[in-house]
Amino acid sequence: MIGHQVPGDLALSADGRELVITSGAAMSLQQIRAGAEIWQGDLSWDPFAGLPMLQSILVKGPDFRLITQVFRQFILDTAGVVTVDSLLVSLDRPTRTLTVTFRCTCEDGSGVSDELQFALA
């Protein structure tokens, strides 16, 4: 996966005023967020990097079991992630928004949770 970040990468503090060095769970969460923006096939130098959005996710009549497996493996493949403790994939049909809510445990023992949203325009 591209976008791998190494201990020492910079991020903005919660209030957005300072640069801080990322590590541990914060670094893993940052990698998950960045990696979720890459669609498989978008990178000419690595056509298998990213999420299979057009192949498995943004399809007519999506298989939510398959989508859940794709996201579980994507999160587990992220550096620093040890386990995926919970994962819920849902589709809000009126707004056409796919939401992936997850919680994972990282190598440093801390847990992180987040929500990824994808507009199905």
Side-chain angles (χ1 to χ4, degrees):
M1 175 174 151
I2 72 147
H4 275 158
Q5 304 197 359
V6 296
D9 276 355
L10 298 176
L12 288 175
S13 63
D15 64 5
R17 294 190 210 188
E18 298 179 46
L19 285 176
V20 295
I21 297 174
T22 61
S23 63
M27 185 179 66
S28 295
L29 188 56
Q30 192 176 50
Q31 289 181 50
I32 291 168
R33 289 176 181 158
E37 295 178 11
I38 300 170
W39 289 23
Q40 197 171 72
D42 279 355
L43 305 176
S44 60
W45 64 88
D46 188 355
F48 299 104
L51 290 167
M53 298 301 281
L54 297 176
Q55 298 87 343
S56 303
I57 299 170
L58 302 179
V59 296
K60 186 173 183 173
D63 180 347
F64 283 93
R65 291 174 301 193
L66 175 62
I67 294 171
T68 300
Q69 290 172 355
V70 165
F71 278 102
R72 181 176 303 279
Q73 193 59 53
F74 164 72
I75 293 168
L76 281 172
D77 287 345
T78 301
V81 173
V82 178
T83 61
V84 175
D85 306 316
S86 66
L87 178 67
L88 176 65
V89 177
S90 60
L91 175 63
D92 182 345
R93 292 187 191 278
T95 64
R96 298 184 48 83
T97 302
L98 180 73
T99 303
V100 179
T101 306
F102 67 92
R103 178 170 176 71
C104 59
T105 301
C106 298
E107 290 174 345
D108 65 359
S110 60
V112 293
S113 58
D114 201 6
E115 183 175 277
L116 305 171
Q117 291 190 330
F118 302 90
L120 310 178

